[in-house]
């Protein structure tokens, strides 16, 4: 049941003055539930509870935390149709997507549970003492990863489940041993409260300390700002706009004690179209890319927003085919009037830019006011290079094709891009070797490089890198997807000459957990 209140640890509370409602973009009306924004007292209480809970939560074993994560997954599944209905009414996304995203959320929680059950993720590294070493004895040193402390997670507008309340950031932080305070996304506060109720239920049933999780409502920047500035918060996870992520990053750096902000932000995900591939399969590629640009109404951080090729008849054919294909796609509803408002504004500003040509712009009637009209625009390489405004993400179903004079201009364009989550090469197998400088430039700009595919569709697995050079993310050394994302919420910690019985099990001489450890340079159990 949705109450509109905040979860301050295990307790529902709604003492604040400011209220708001979520919006159904399909029906273009407000939803009925009213949400109460968290007050400063509630924010403080949530953080103090989290700080207290950190001590006790930290002492839980990996398998106890794994049981907690499995219980969250089970409790989310038990929300059943209530959750799916609320998700759809707050996002305009179809039921299939809601169920798919729920599956991904459950899968992430269980993957972290498996990681904890296995246990080797803590990177236990042991160097045993050499007391008679000369000129100085070598001490016994044992290092492992330990949790940072309470962390704040900002829910993402475009993933109400998989990157929000119990999404990847929360699952990774809880797995690491960090209590989590979620700053719920105002567009899907009801979905957030339902999922929060599942987390609280799981925490109670598995004996986790009160405060291991809190969920705070907010419809403006105040709650997030206060959380990031709170001295007892130790790190922040964020998915959203560059403007929002950068503001939080700056705020965190200006604290008396700065903290890391792991923000996953905008990306235009360049796709390099090599000539022979275009010559041989322009139409097939156009169909594939029309799908990738419009899937989820273009509201994915991996949407291919930039396609780059060398001027030729084949590139012209590709642009014509892409234009025809994209017009055939059925427009779909965007997440919120604010999101489609930003899309329309950015689209019109791009279309009005001198030198940009509209190749396709869906012109037929759409079934509702919040349905986005997809578009393709083209521009020459020189114009693109001359204005970095053209390099910015347009969140929604629009893509830009840059027509370069030659391979050297293509390389220059890639080199001049900001950091990106992904880069894609469309190539025949024999031609890629002719473009080593383009490939090197692309590798230097992105976190993940794709051969003959599309960037949308992010596999959740250990080898995934979802994060790239700034501004794709604030720290390109980490991924926001897959179990390796746990590394954002920990720090290395060494014990020197510490008595064996006082060491954590991960570092004890007999290796009671049977985990993989690096002992004197050799990996062993
Ligand atoms: P957003 O504006 O970046 O906001 C995300 C969250 O951060 C919200 O909860 C917001 O709070 C909070 N926030 C933003 N600026 C803040 C600040 N200065 N201080 C404290 N908190 C702040 O993203 P959004 O609302 O999800 O969507 C808006 C735009 O972001 C989209 O049109 C799109 O361009 C972009 N976006 C990009 C991606 C991507 O993956 N690349 C994903 C989602 C969105 P309030 O909402 O409560 O103000």
């Amino acid at each position: 049941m949705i109450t509109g209140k905040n979860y301050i640890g295990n307790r529902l509370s709604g003492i604040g003055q400011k209220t708001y409602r979520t919006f159904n973009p399909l029906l273009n009306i407000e939803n009925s539930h009213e949400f109460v924004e968290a007050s400063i007292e509630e924010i403080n209480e949530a953080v103090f509870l989290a700080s207290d809970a950190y001590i006790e939560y930290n002492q839980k074993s990996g398998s106890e935390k794994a049981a907690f994560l499995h219980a969250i997954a089970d409790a989310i599944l038990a929300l059943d149709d209530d959750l799916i209905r609320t998700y759809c009414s707050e996002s305009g996304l179809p039921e299939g997507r809601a169920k798919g995203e729920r599956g991904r959320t459950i899968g992430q929680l269980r993957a972290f549970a498996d990681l904890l059950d296995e246990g080797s993720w803590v990177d236990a590294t042991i160097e045993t003492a050499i007391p008679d070493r000369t000129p100085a004895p070598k001490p016994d040193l044992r290092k492992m990863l330990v949790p940072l402390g309470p962390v704040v997670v900002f829910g993402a507008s475009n993933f109400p489940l998989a990157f929000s309340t119990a999404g990847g950031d929360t699952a990774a932080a809880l797995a690491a041993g960090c209590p989590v305070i979620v700053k719920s996304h105002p567009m899907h506060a009801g979905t957030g409260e339902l999922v929060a109720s599942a987390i609280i239920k799981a925490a109670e049933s598995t004996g986790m300390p009160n405060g291991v999780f809190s969920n705070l409502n907010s419809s403006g920047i105040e709650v997030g700002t206060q959380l990031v500035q709170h001295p007892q918060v130790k790190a922040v996870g964020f998915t959203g706009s560059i403007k929002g992520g950068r503001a939080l990053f700056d705020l965190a750096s200006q604290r008396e004690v700065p903290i890391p902000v792991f923000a996953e932000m905008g990306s235009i995900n360049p796709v390099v179209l090599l000539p022979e591939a275009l010559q041989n399969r322009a139409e097939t590629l156009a169909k594939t890319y029309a799908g990738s640009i419009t899937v989820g109404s273009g509201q994915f951080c991996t949407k291919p927003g930039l396609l780059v090729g060398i001027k030729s008849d084949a590139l012209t054919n590709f642009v014509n085919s892409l234009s025809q294909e994209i017009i055939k796609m059925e427009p779909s509803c965007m997440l919120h009037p604010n999101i489609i408002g930003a899309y329309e504004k950015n689209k019109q500003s791009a279309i009005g830019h001198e030198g940009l040509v509209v190749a396709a712009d869906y012109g037929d009637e759409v079934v509702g006011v919040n349905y986005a009209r997809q578009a393709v625009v083209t521009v020459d390489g020189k114009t693109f290079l001359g204005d970095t405004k053209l390099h910015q993400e347009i969140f929604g179903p629009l893509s830009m094709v840059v027509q370069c004079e030659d391979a050297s201009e293509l390389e220059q364009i890639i080199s001049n891009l900001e950091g990106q989550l992904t880069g894609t090469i469309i190539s025949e197998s024999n031609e890629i070797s002719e473009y080593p400088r383009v490939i090197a430039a692309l590798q230097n700009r992105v976190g993940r490089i794709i051969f003959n595919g599309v960037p949308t569709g992010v596999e959740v697995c250990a080898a995934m890198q979802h994060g790239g050079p700034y501004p794709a993310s604030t720290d390109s050394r980490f991924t926001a997807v897959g179990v390796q994302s746990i590394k954002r919420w920990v720090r290395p910690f060494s014990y020197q000459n510490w008595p064996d019985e006082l060491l954590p099990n991960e570092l004890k001489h007999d290796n009671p957990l049977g985990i993989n450890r690096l002992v004197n340079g050799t990996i062993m159990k």
Side-chain angles (χ1 to χ4, degrees), residues 221-465:
I221 65 167
E222 295 79 13
V223 172
T225 304
Q226 279 155 353
L227 283 169
V228 172
Q229 289 178 317
H230 200 293
Q232 285 173 0
V233 166
K234 301 297 181 209
V236 177
F238 171 92
T239 304
S241 64
I242 294 179
K243 190 163 160 262
R246 180 62 200 237
L248 296 172
F249 180 83
D250 288 344
L251 210 58
S253 317
Q254 287 153 12
R255 290 168 39 129
E256 192 178 330
V257 179
I259 53 170
V261 173
F262 299 102
E264 192 257 280
M265 304 176 288
S267 199
I268 54 174
N269 303 297
V271 178
V272 175
L273 305 157
L274 293 183
E276 267 189 65
L278 279 185
Q279 187 73 46
N280 294 342
R281 45 197 167 98
E283 282 172 23
T284 317
L285 286 167
K287 272 198 180 70
T288 307
Y289 268 87
S292 178
I293 294 163
T294 55
V295 64
S297 214
Q299 300 168 116
F300 287 124
C301 45
T302 49
K303 181 203 73 179
L306 186 74
L307 308 165
V308 198
I310 300 168
K311 276 183 191 164
S312 67
D313 289 346
L315 182 58
T316 306
N317 287 342
F318 170 77
V319 171
N320 291 340
S321 301
L322 179 65
S323 301
Q324 284 163 16
E325 291 300 331
I326 208 153
I327 295 300
K328 286 189 211 159
M329 309 301 288
E330 211 44 66
S332 52
C333 188
M334 293 195 87
L335 294 162
H336 192 273
N338 291 351
I339 300 266
I340 188 163
Y343 171 63
E344 289 298 344
K345 186 168 149 258
N346 293 330
K347 179 178 158 185
Q348 289 316 319
S349 146
I351 285 174
H353 194 286
E354 206 185 325
L356 250 76
V357 177
V358 180
D361 190 4
Y362 189 86
D364 290 348
E365 278 298 301
V366 286
V367 294
V369 290
N370 296 312
Y371 282 62
R373 291 185 160 81
Q374 59 271 24
V376 173
V377 295
T378 65
V379 66
D380 63 60
K382 191 159 171 255
T383 307
F384 184 81
L385 278 168
D387 190 348
T388 52
K389 278 208 290 294
L390 296 175
H391 304 199
Q392 305 308 310
E393 177 187 39
I394 296 182
F395 196 64
L398 179 143
S399 207
M400 188 180 296
V401 184
V402 183
Q403 297 163 317
C404 305
E405 288 302 326
D406 49 30
S408 152
E409 190 173 66
L410 173 57
E411 181 200 332
Q412 212 187 336
I413 282 173
I414 301 297
S415 303
N416 276 279
L417 291 176
E418 294 183 314
Q420 305 289 333
L421 290 170
T422 74
T424 303
I425 299 281
I426 302 292
S427 165
E428 294 304 316
S429 47
N430 58 332
E431 66 176 336
I432 189 164
S433 55
E434 294 165 34
Y435 296 87
R437 293 179 63 92
V438 172
I439 310 297
L442 190 62
Q443 260 182 298
N444 189 33
R445 297 286 71 216
V446 309
R448 173 166 60 109
I449 196 162
I450 299 149
F451 186 67
N452 279 339
V454 290
T456 41
V458 179
E459 184 69 31
V460 182
C461 70
M464 173 53 68
Q465 175 57 26

Side-chain angles (χ1 to χ4, degrees), residues 42 59 62 79 81 117 122 291 318 335 340 371 401 407 415 478 511:
E42 288 166 323
Q59 281 158 7
L79 292 167
D81 279 352
D117 272 332
V122 296
F318 170 77
L335 294 162
I340 188 163
Y371 282 62
V401 184
S415 303
F478 298 93
N511 192 10

